[in-house]
């Protein structure tokens, strides 16, 4: 059991997840204030709050971190926690080439968010008056 445990611990140190936080955002060695599992690829989202891309528009199919505030000077921003996993981590089942060749299919249609919001509202209204659906 101890041998397997040591092997797993050693594998975890070098599996690309930056478990011990030894790499900075730029990939250099971290010496102080290191973040376990921190990004070491300097990932920047395509869309950023208040910043337009080179085409001067937001790309609707890309994630954008939300910037929120409480109206009294406190702001918080979403962050992608582990963007480096897709490029740095060792695949467990497929080879790296197999992983890199895989792509998600493009959706057949875009969601009509207004229509979907109406469906949700109707379902909630039906649930509110039905003891069986609660």
């Amino acid at each position: 059991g101890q041998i397997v445990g040591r092997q797993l611990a050693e594998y975890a140190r070098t599996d690309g997840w930056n478990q011990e936080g030894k790499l900075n955002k730029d990939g250099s060695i971290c010496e102080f204030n290191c973040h376990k599992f921190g990004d070491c690829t300097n990932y920047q989202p395509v869309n950023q709050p208040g910043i337009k891309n080179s085409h001067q528009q937001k790309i609707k199919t890309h994630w954008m971190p939300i910037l929120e505030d409480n109206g009294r000077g406190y702001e918080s921003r979403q962050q992608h926690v582990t963007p480096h996993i897709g490029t740095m981590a060792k695949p467990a089942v497929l080879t790296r080439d197999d992983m890199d060749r895989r792509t998600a299919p493009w959706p057949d249609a875009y969601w009509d968010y207004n229509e979907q919001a109406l469906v949700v509202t109707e379902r909630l209204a039906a649930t509110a008056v039905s003891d069986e659906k609660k």
Side-chain angles (χ1 to χ4, degrees):
Q2 287 183 353
I3 293 171
V4 173
R6 286 179 188 232
Q7 288 174 337
L8 285 171
E10 182 56 35
Y11 179 81
R13 282 189 203 96
T14 61
D15 67 355
W17 284 71
N18 198 18
Q19 171 188 319
E20 296 175 341
K22 293 193 176 200
L23 297 175
N24 287 317
K25 283 191 175 284
D26 61 0
S28 64
I29 301 298
C30 180
E31 296 180 24
F32 307 101
N33 299 322
C34 305
H35 297 276
K36 293 181 178 186
F37 297 99
D39 173 32
C40 52
T41 62
N42 203 21
Y43 170 79
Q44 297 293 321
V46 173
N47 293 327
Q48 294 189 33
I51 300 172
K52 295 191 177 196
N53 65 21
S54 60
H55 303 293
Q56 298 301 309
Q57 62 187 2
K58 299 288 183 192
I59 300 174
K60 293 181 181 181
T61 57
H62 285 73
W63 172 73
M64 182 173 78
I66 297 173
L67 179 61
E68 298 178 298
D69 70 85
N70 67 355
R72 291 182 259 158
Y74 178 81
E75 292 183 345
S76 61
R77 178 177 57 91
Q78 290 179 332
Q79 296 188 99
H80 195 306
V81 181
T82 54
H84 61 288
I85 302 308
T87 56
M88 303 291 289
K90 293 178 186 174
V93 177
L94 301 174
T95 66
R96 173 54 60 192
D97 289 338
D98 289 340
M99 289 289 291
D100 292 342
R101 280 194 299 269
R102 293 178 65 105
T103 58
W106 193 256
D108 293 334
Y110 289 97
W111 290 97
D112 181 347
Y113 292 111
N114 290 329
E115 181 182 328
Q116 293 298 313
L118 289 174
V119 170
V120 169
T121 304
E122 290 169 1
R123 288 179 183 164
L124 286 172
T127 302
V129 296
S130 172
D131 288 336
E132 290 178 11
K133 292 183 179 182
K134 286 184 186 179

